[in-house]
């Protein structure tokens, strides 16, 4: 208790000191798991930070710390950021969940925003994106465009987020192409360009002519380009430099609107702890330009699907859907609950292989 | 599970590409270790080569120049290790770890402007009728120049160590530096040259990653390849030919595991990724149990000519 | 011609001067690097070396954090230094650290949610045993077959990392963790948590053990026959054999000590600051500790100071990133420089520089 009050008063002190320098300047901090130049996950969060600066100009100051390991160092990095007078801190990786909660308890006046987690407090919000909505569109294009009927999927770790993406993509590929098969390779890494390139090559060598990736580097794009006759989708960032082929579209993590919104809320004093899980409708999940390599009719269908999802008319997980073992999951017309989606640890019917554990 | 979808021809071709960077780094490190020096900084030298090679290739539009610059840059960097360990007699283990830190830090500072760019890459060689041969054409004769250069380098290193005077001197220095010194050989100079060569090879390996295998620059892109190269040298019990086998084996295990997964096989990934290291330990035990020490006798020991 | 002449005894004066000299050199060259990056050099240096200790806003928090960061480094480095003095090069402390954490955490998770007061001591023992057992692999291979311990211990790091990846997404995964990899959080399990012992000091069991290890190592080398045997084995292996020192026992003792201490460090880290077993909780402490051992010249007090200095550059480096926006990589380079300069200036401790004719 003593420690808490001491730290809290230190924070209050620093806040006072901070505002003495620049009246009303709100300080927003960002903790990144990778380097800002990773070209994927962290890069997009940093784009969001820059957007906050561009939008709010002199009214805001941003700081960030990159390559913060998940573990003991994270808690210190977050604490120091709070001590430095940050008013709102975005912690942008799942592994920062417990450290964020610990620090938040010591700094009740600082607002915290944790990406992709599930623990909240009065001063801790969580936010994440419904990437599976983008996966549905990718699945649709993949199902239409594959000639070998084999779609390769480079997965990172067997967590609900990734499994959701696989299920969503498969479901929509299967809808338009009943013969489609998915080969899934678990790379057990978010970022290892050489291994991702190898994984892409392995899938291509095994007959896949569409590669979906849930890892962050552009190495699979390059491997597909080299192989020729293979299409890919950008992940996390647009990866437009690989278009029009192999990259035919992409899922873009667009955190900017959310970050601007939340920092503004701190300025206005309207910030509240929230649980945000946004998708295409708010622009948090962006669909990159569908390239000229995609036939016009497929492109039109994909865009229609995107619009339907954005308008809330269509949910990518709408029954009837069975689990892999044939047991029913969603009945006709039923849509998946967020709880089911957040804990998803099973494949849907038709996928082969097991979810590793 | 349908393993028939794995095409052995493509599998071998793919292994050759994925093994080349670690092969280059390992053959260089083997020469360094044969001279009695343990340089643990391979990772740092590789990533420096990766970034310098990439930057030069982008700026000149010529990947060959990129490779040359990468070799030079890493070799120069390795000289810092050489000066510290050979002239100032610092501990090789600690200095090597320091070299890794320096290389990782330096590379990401140099590389900032090059993130997200695409570089010109090496063309595949057209080897005439060889490339058109069935099976082996695609498997062996459809790669880029560096793949063959790396194999040629293995043969050259083997021949030089075995048949030439300089090879003999190098080995003598590695086995017993005091005796070599007594015979009038310049121990320090020879070791510096070996370290320089090792640095150059590691730089080539790094550049192969950033210019051919991935090909792009991203911070931290070697992701442990340098440490694998160190393991390969041990696995190979300091023989050039076995370094090639080791590199293809280590590279092959990863490629094979990904291919098995792609074909739908359930693969115990953790066990498979640990298996090359377990094999290396077994090899070490095997060679030391036979009484042959394998490792150069002066490996890692400082040399000071006390006059 | 310049040449080096070995001193009969390491110079006392230079032992003290060289670290200071190295730090000054690092500040100069590092300052030039920061200037080249367009950052104010003096401010950057001050942020790294001064602010964690004396900045009014941060020091209250970062001073205790120095202990938190230095604790495991010192604990591991002390263990390593025992072996290094005997010429036994265990560079696989990272693996022993991981295995200690896995064994300690695994033993307690099997008893979840026990609240016995014996739980934590049991975990400590399991952690030490885990690290010890992992270090016994290179030890036994070395004594039985003469296998090189540098290489075996390094290989075992990769094996340990594979095991860590496997258990954190399998065997030890938190059943209430929504399917994410990583174990339960020990900070939220009182009986198994390695808590701060005195509020706001950073003092936890790992730091206590690190200090005990420093004292024990000091006594071992200053007073104990085993310490003498270790030094003798390192400095004059043949003389040691004539003196009746059993080299195999020394190998077992040195590697075992290093392994057990590294295992302890892993256990304290995972139940305290890190909180949980996860795929990359280890963050390279085992390798950094090698650097610390050398910075401290393998002397217990030196290691204590070196561990604190290393922790200072980490925490100061984080502050510099935060306050001045210097890239993370420049801090890595900065630490590399510090190490290089220390190693370079170390030559003055053991050698005299002579000008004139010499056998180069």
């Amino acid at each position: 208790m003593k420690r808490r009050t001491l730290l809290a008063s230190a924070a209050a002190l620093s806040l006072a000191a901070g505002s003495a320098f620049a009246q009303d300047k709100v300080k927003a901090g960002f903790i990144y798991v990778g380097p800002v130049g990773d070209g994927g996950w962290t890069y997009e969060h940093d784009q969001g930070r820059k957007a906050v600066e561009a939008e709010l100009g002199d009214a805001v100051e941003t700081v960030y710390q990159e390559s913060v390991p998940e573990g003991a160092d994270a808690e210190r990095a977050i604490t120091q950021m709070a001590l430095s007078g940050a008013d709102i801190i975005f912690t942008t990786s799942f592994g920062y969940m417990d450290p964020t909660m610990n620090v938040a308890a010591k700094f009740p006046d600082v607002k915290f925003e944790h990406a992709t987690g599930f623990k909240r407090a009065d001063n801790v919000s969580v936010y994440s994106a419904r990437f599976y909505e983008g996966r549905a569109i990718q699945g649709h294009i993949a199902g239409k465009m594959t000639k070998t009927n084999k779609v390769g999927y480079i997965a990172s770790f067997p967590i609900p987020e990734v499994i959701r993406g696989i299920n969503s993509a498969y479901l929509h590929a299967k809808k338009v192409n009943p013969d489609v098969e998915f080969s899934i390779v678990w790379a057990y890494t978010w970022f290892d360009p050489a291994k991702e390139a190898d994984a892409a090559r392995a899938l291509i060598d095994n007959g896949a002519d569409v590669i979906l990736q849930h890892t962050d580097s552009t190495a699979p794009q390059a491997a597909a380009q080299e192989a020729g006759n293979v299409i890919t989708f950008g992940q996390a960032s647009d990866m437009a430099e690989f278009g029009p082929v192999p990259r035919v579209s992409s899922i873009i993590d667009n955190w900017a609107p959310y970050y601007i919104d939340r920092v503004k809320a701190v300025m206005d004093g309207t910030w509240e702890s929230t649980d945000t899980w946004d998708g295409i409708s708010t622009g948090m999940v962006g669909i990159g330009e569908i390239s000229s390599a995609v036939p016009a009719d497929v492109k039109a269908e994909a865009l229609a699907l995107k619009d339907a999802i954005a308008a809330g008319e269509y949910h990518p997980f709408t029954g009837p859907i069975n689990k892999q073992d044939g047991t029913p999951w969603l009945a006709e017309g039923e849509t998946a609950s967020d709880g089911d989606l957040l804990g998803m640890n099973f494949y849907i019917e038709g996928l082969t292989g097991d979810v590793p554990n | 599970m349908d393993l028939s979808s794995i095409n052995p021809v493509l599998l071998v071709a793919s292994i050759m590409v994925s093994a080349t960077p670690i092969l280059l780094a390992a053959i260089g490190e083997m020469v360094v270790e044969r001279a009695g020096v343990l340089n643990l900084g391979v990772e740092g030298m590789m990533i420096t080569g990766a970034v310098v090679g990439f930057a030069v290739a982008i700026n000149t539009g010529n990947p060959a120049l990129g490779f040359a610059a990468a070799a030079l840059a890493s070799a120069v960097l390795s000289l810092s290790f050489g000066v510290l360990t050979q002239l100032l007699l610092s501990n090789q283990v600690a200095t090597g770890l320091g070299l890794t830190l320096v290389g990782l830090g330096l590379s990401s500072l140099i590389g900032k402007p090059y993130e997200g760019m695409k570089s010109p890459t090496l063309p595949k060689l057209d080897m005439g009728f060889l490339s058109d041969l069935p099976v082996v054409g695609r498997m062996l004769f459809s790669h880029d120049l560096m793949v063959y250069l790396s194999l040629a380098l293995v043969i050259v290193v083997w021949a030089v160590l075995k048949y030439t005077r300089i090879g003999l001197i190098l080995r003598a220095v590695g086995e017993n530096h005091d005796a070599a010194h007594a015979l009038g050989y310049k121990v320090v100079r020879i070791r510096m040259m070996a370290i320089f060569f090792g640095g150059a090879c590691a730089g080539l390996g790094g550049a192969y990653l950033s210019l051919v295998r991935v090909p792009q620059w991203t911070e931290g892109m070697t992701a442990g390849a340098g440490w694998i190269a160190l393991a390969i040298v041990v696995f190979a019990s300091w023989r050039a030919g076995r370094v090639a086998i080791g590199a293809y084996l280590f590279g092959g295990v990863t490629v094979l595991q990904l291919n098995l997964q792609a074909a739908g096989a359930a693969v115990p990934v953790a066990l498979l990724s640990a298996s090359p290291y377990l094999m290396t330990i077994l090899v070490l035990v095997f060679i030391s149990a036979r009484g042959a020490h394998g490792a150069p006798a002066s490996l890692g020991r400082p040399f000071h000519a006390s006059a | 011609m310049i040449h080096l002449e070995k001193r009969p005894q390491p110079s006392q004066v230079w032992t003290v001067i060289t670290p200071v000299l190295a730090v000054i050199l690092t500040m100069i060259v590092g300052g030039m690097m920061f200037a080249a990056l367009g950052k104010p050099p003096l401010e950057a240096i001050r942020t790294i070396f001064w602010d964690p200790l004396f900045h009014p806003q941060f020091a209250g928090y970062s001073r205790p954090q120095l202990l938190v960061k230095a604790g495991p480094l010192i604990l591991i480095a002390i263990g390593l230094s025992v072996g290094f003095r005997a010429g036994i090069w265990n560079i696989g402390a990272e693996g022993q650290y991981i295995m200690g954490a896995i064994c300690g955490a695994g033993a307690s998770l099997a008893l979840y949610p026990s609240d016995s007061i014996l739980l934590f001591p049991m975990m400590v023992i399991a952690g030490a045993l885990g690290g010890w057992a992992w270090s016994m692999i290179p030890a036994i291979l070395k004594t039985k077959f003469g296998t090189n311990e540098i290489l075996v211990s390094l290989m075992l790091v990769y094996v340990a990392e594979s095991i860590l990846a496997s258990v954190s997404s399998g065997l030890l995964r938190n059943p209430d963790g929504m399917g994410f990899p990583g174990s339960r959080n020990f900070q939220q399990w009182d009986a198994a948590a390695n808590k701060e012992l005195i509020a706001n000091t950073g003092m936890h069991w790992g730091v206590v053990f690190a200090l005990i290890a420093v004292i024990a190592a000091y006594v071992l080398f200053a007073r104990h026959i085993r310490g003498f045997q270790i030094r003798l084995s390192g400095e004059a292996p043949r003389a040691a054999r004539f003196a009746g020192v059993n080299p195999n026992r020394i190998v077992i003792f040195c590697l075992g000590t290093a392994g057990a201490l590294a295992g302890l460090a892993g256990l304290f880290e995972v139940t305290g600051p890190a909180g949980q077993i996860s795929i990359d909780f280890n963050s390279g402490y085992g390798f950094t500790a090698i650097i610390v051992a050398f910075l401290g010249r393998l002397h217990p007090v030196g290691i204590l100071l070196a561990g604190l200095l290393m922790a200072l550059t980490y925490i100061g480096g984080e502050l510099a990133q935060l306050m001045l926006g210097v890239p993370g990589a420049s801090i890595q380079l900065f630490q590399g420089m510090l190490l290089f300069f220390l190693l370079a200036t170390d030559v003055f401790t053991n050698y005299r520089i002579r000008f004139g004719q010499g056998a180069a």
Side-chain angles (χ1 to χ4, degrees):
Chain A
M1 216 40 232
K2 196 179 166 194
R3 177 187 164 120
R4 282 188 185 186
T5 46
L6 195 128
L7 284 169
S9 57
L13 195 86
S14 65
L15 278 175
S19 54
F21 283 111
Q23 215 66 37
D24 299 320
K25 209 167 194 178
V26 164
K27 190 166 178 178
F30 296 79
I31 302 276
Y32 301 140
V33 70
V36 292
D38 71 353
W41 179 255
T42 293
Y43 174 78
E44 287 300 329
H45 283 286
D46 200 50
Q47 292 302 106
R49 177 186 69 83
K50 288 179 176 158
V52 169
E53 280 197 334
E55 174 81 15
L56 303 173
D58 284 344
V60 69
E61 181 196 350
T62 67
V63 289
Y64 71 89
Q65 196 159 333
E66 58 183 334
S67 305
V68 176
E70 300 178 340
D73 295 314
E75 188 165 336
R76 186 176 53 249
I78 302 167
T79 306
Q80 283 170 343
M81 202 167 262
L83 280 173
S84 80
D87 302 290
I88 179 166
I89 297 176
F90 297 88
T91 56
T92 63
S93 178
F94 175 78
Y96 298 147
M97 183 163 68
D98 288 328
T100 304
M101 295 305 290
N102 290 349
V103 180
K106 292 177 203 152
F107 293 88
D109 296 333
V110 179
K111 316 299 181 207
F112 293 85
E113 299 264 351
H114 178 236
T116 69
F118 53 82
K119 290 188 184 168
R120 281 173 60 197
D122 283 346
N123 60 336
V124 182
S125 289
V126 292
Y127 63 100
S128 187
R130 295 179 187 266
F131 297 117
Y132 66 87
E133 295 181 351
R135 293 283 172 199
I137 295 161
Q138 290 188 348
H140 183 92
I141 298 173
K144 282 278 186 181
M145 291 195 58
T146 177
K147 295 186 184 66
T148 60
N149 291 330
K150 261 196 162 179
V151 173
Y153 203 113
I154 306 172
S156 48
F157 291 95
I159 57 175
E161 161 82 48
V162 177
I163 296 167
R164 223 160 37 227
I166 295 171
N167 283 336
S168 176
Y170 178 72
L171 196 63
H172 293 85
K174 184 92 175 172
K175 253 183 202 156
V176 295
N177 179 353
D179 296 326
V180 78
E181 273 178 52
F182 269 40
S183 303
I184 299 156
V185 166
W186 296 94
Y188 288 93
T189 176
W190 289 109
F191 180 79
D192 180 342
K195 193 168 188 186
E196 291 171 48
D198 283 346
R201 285 194 192 104
L203 287 164
I204 293 166
D205 290 352
N206 275 277
D209 63 352
V210 180
I211 302 288
L212 302 182
Q213 63 176 104
H214 204 139
T215 49
D216 288 344
S217 89
T218 54
Q221 313 280 331
Q225 192 161 43
E226 177 193 291
N229 292 325
V230 176
I231 62 166
T232 59
F233 296 86
Q235 159 73 8
S237 73
D238 196 26
M239 306 188 178
E241 67 272 26
F242 288 96
V245 273
R247 173 221 164 273
V248 295
S249 181
S250 60
I251 294 180
I252 306 169
D253 309 358
N254 182 9
W255 306 105
Y258 182 76
Y259 286 170
I260 293 170
D261 224 38
R262 301 304 284 171
V263 176
K264 267 191 182 152
V266 171
M267 289 175 168
D268 306 341
T270 56
W271 191 95
E272 277 181 346
S273 169
T274 52
D275 183 342
T276 304
W277 200 18
D278 281 351
I280 292 175
S281 63
T282 62
M284 192 180 267
V285 175
I287 302 300
E289 174 68 28
I290 298 174
S291 83
S292 55
V294 179
D297 58 326
V298 178
K299 181 172 176 176
E301 287 164 19
L303 290 175
L305 182 60
K306 176 186 165 188
D307 292 340
I309 294 172
E313 292 157 10
Y314 174 69
H315 190 293
F317 289 104
T318 304
I321 303 174
N322 291 343
K323 293 186 181 179
Q324 189 182 29
D325 58 9
T327 55
W329 174 39
L330 297 174
E332 177 80 41
E334 191 187 354
T335 56
S337 69
D338 282 359
D340 267 9
L341 291 177
L342 285 169
M344 190 177 262
N345 59 3
F346 56 86
Y347 284 154
I348 57 171
E349 193 169 38
L351 280 165
T352 50
D354 298 317
V355 178
N357 56 27
Chain B
M1 177 160 94
D2 178 22
L3 292 185
S4 64
S5 71
I6 296 183
N7 181 338
V9 173
L10 297 179
L11 184 67
V12 172
S14 182
I15 288 173
M16 286 182 77
V17 171
S18 88
T20 298
I22 46 180
L23 173 58
L24 283 164
I27 194 74
E29 176 68 11
M30 191 206 77
V31 170
V32 179
E33 293 190 17
R34 282 300 280 271
V37 179
L38 180 64
N39 183 354
L40 293 183
V42 184
E43 179 85 1
M45 300 187 296
M46 271 186 99
I47 196 147
T48 305
V51 73
V52 171
F54 191 78
V56 170
I58 288 240
N59 288 324
T60 62
N62 184 345
L65 276 180
F67 275 102
L72 187 67
S74 299
V76 169
L77 183 71
S78 74
L79 282 186
S80 69
F81 171 89
V83 168
L84 281 165
T85 56
Q86 302 309 307
L87 301 179
L88 301 175
L89 306 167
S90 70
N91 178 278
Q92 295 176 5
V93 170
T95 314
L97 292 174
L99 187 63
T100 299
L101 273 182
V102 168
L104 288 172
L106 197 62
S107 65
S108 81
L109 291 185
I110 297 174
K112 278 273 183 272
Y114 298 98
E115 277 156 2
M117 291 177 130
K118 281 205 299 186
S119 88
T121 184
L122 283 183
K124 306 260 183 244
L125 289 189
D126 184 7
M127 306 174 80
F129 74 94
L130 283 177
S131 307
D132 298 333
L133 289 175
V135 184
V136 289
R138 175 74 187 87
M139 194 192 283
L140 304 177
F141 300 112
S142 61
H143 295 290
D144 54 84
L145 184 64
M146 284 307 290
V147 170
Y148 305 108
L149 270 184
S150 67
L151 290 170
L153 195 62
V154 171
I155 295 169
V156 169
V157 166
W158 168 77
V160 167
L161 284 177
K162 195 169 166 95
Y163 295 114
T164 67
R165 194 175 138 71
I166 180 77
L168 184 72
I169 297 171
L170 185 102
R171 281 185 291 140
V173 164
E175 288 302 329
N176 188 338
H177 49 219
D178 293 319
H181 176 68
L183 289 171
Y185 298 124
K186 308 276 189 206
V187 173
V188 170
R189 192 172 303 169
I190 288 158
R191 285 189 170 165
M192 285 295 245
M193 278 158 37
I195 291 167
F196 191 83
F197 176 77
C201 289
L204 288 178
Y208 192 80
L209 272 177
S210 66
L211 288 175
V212 181
R213 185 159 160 227
V214 172
Q216 61 172 0
W217 162 254
T218 27
E219 202 175 324
M221 68 179 301
T222 46
W227 296 99
I228 294 175
L230 279 164
I232 291 168
V233 178
V234 181
F235 174 85
S237 48
W238 297 271
R239 308 278 177 81
R242 294 187 199 165
V243 165
I245 295 171
Y248 281 84
L249 195 69
F250 275 61
V253 166
T254 312
V255 172
L256 182 67
Q257 142 331 63
L258 293 168
N259 269 280
L260 284 172
Q261 283 201 53
V267 183
V269 174
L271 184 67
L272 259 177
S273 55
S275 59
Y277 303 106
L278 291 169
M279 265 190 294
T280 305
I281 294 174
L282 285 181
V283 168
L284 265 177
V285 170
F286 184 69
I287 53 179
S288 45
R290 277 194 326 192
H293 271 292
S298 294
L299 185 63
R301 302 230 174 97
F303 168 75
H304 177 237
S306 39
Chain C
M1 278 300 288
I2 304 170
H3 75 276
L4 300 172
E5 182 183 296
K6 192 160 173 81
R7 295 176 194 272
Q9 288 289 320
S11 158
Q12 296 279 338
V13 181
W14 279 103
T15 307
V16 179
I17 293 175
T18 49
V20 181
L21 189 66
V23 170
I24 293 171
L25 281 171
T26 311
M27 285 180 178
I28 295 170
V29 180
M32 280 155 52
M33 172 187 75
F34 289 125
L37 290 169
K39 305 290 174 189
L42 288 178
E43 213 176 324
I45 301 292
R46 198 206 61 213
T47 309
I48 294 172
F49 287 101
W50 184 264
D51 284 358
L53 295 172
F54 303 109
H55 191 284
Q57 214 166 312
F58 297 107
Y61 174 76
S62 48
R63 251 181 265 153
Q65 283 295 311
L66 279 180
L67 287 183
V68 172
K69 188 86 192 174
L73 291 176
I74 295 170
L75 193 54
I76 302 170
I78 289 284
L80 291 176
S81 71
V82 173
F84 291 173
R85 286 253 194 134
I88 295 162
W89 303 102
N90 170 17
I91 58 172
E94 183 82 359
Q96 294 143 21
Y97 173 89
I98 291 171
M99 294 311 285
I102 291 177
C103 289
S108 68
L109 287 171
L111 300 174
Y112 185 84
S114 157
D115 56 359
S116 161
I117 53 160
L118 295 177
L119 185 69
F120 192 67
M122 185 274 298
M123 292 166 72
V124 171
I125 293 169
L129 278 178
W132 176 82
W134 205 244
S135 72
M136 277 303 109
I137 300 172
I140 289 169
L141 293 181
K142 185 175 175 74
T143 53
K144 287 267 182 260
F145 305 109
T147 315
N148 184 322
E149 78 282 4
I150 303 183
L151 306 163
V152 176
S153 62
L154 181 62
M155 296 302 115
L156 286 171
V157 173
Y158 307 123
V159 179
E161 280 174 348
S162 294
I163 294 175
L164 176 65
S166 156
V167 297
S168 56
S169 54
L171 192 61
L172 299 182
R173 186 169 67 179
N174 182 359
D176 306 328
M178 312 278 280
F180 281 91
S183 75
R184 285 181 193 281
N185 195 311
F186 290 94
Q187 290 164 346
Q188 291 149 14
W189 177 13
D190 278 341
N194 168 25
K195 291 217 179 316
E196 208 175 23
L197 296 172
I198 309 168
N200 212 22
T201 57
M203 188 65 94
H204 64 68
W205 281 113
V207 180
V208 174
F209 270 74
L211 296 176
I212 295 173
V214 169
I215 297 166
Y218 188 86
V219 172
L220 174 74
F221 286 115
R223 296 285 154 86
H224 200 277
I225 178 77
R226 179 48 70 76
F228 173 73
Q229 291 174 342
I230 288 170
R231 272 175 17 220
L232 194 61
S233 309
E235 284 156 23
R238 293 184 59 195
R241 229 162 295 149
F242 287 128
V245 180
N246 179 339
N248 285 348
R249 279 210 192 141
I250 296 286
V251 169
I252 300 273
F253 175 83
C254 291
L255 277 165
T257 308
L261 292 186
L264 277 176
L267 181 272
F268 290 130
E269 193 65 12
V270 86
T271 53
Q276 59 174 166
I277 294 271
S278 60
I279 286 170
D280 47 8
F281 88 94
N282 44 318
S283 52
Y285 273 125
F287 288 112
T288 313
I290 297 175
I291 296 175
V292 168
F294 280 101
L295 290 185
R297 302 221 155 61
L298 310 183
H299 188 281
V301 179
I303 287 169
L304 178 70
L305 297 174
L308 291 170
L309 177 68
M310 203 71 196
L312 185 67
T313 62
Y314 272 111
I315 293 174
E318 287 166 5
L319 281 182
Q321 278 192 63
L322 179 62
M323 305 301 290
L324 304 173
V326 306
S330 65
I331 302 302
Q332 216 171 12
L333 189 54
F334 193 79
Q335 288 175 330
M337 275 187 224
L338 177 63
L339 179 64
F340 269 16
F341 283 124
L342 259 153
L343 292 166
T345 51
D346 202 23
V347 72
F348 298 113
T349 312
N350 293 311
Y351 296 89
R352 257 187 212 110
I353 310 290
R354 286 274 183 239
F355 299 92
Q357 287 296 308

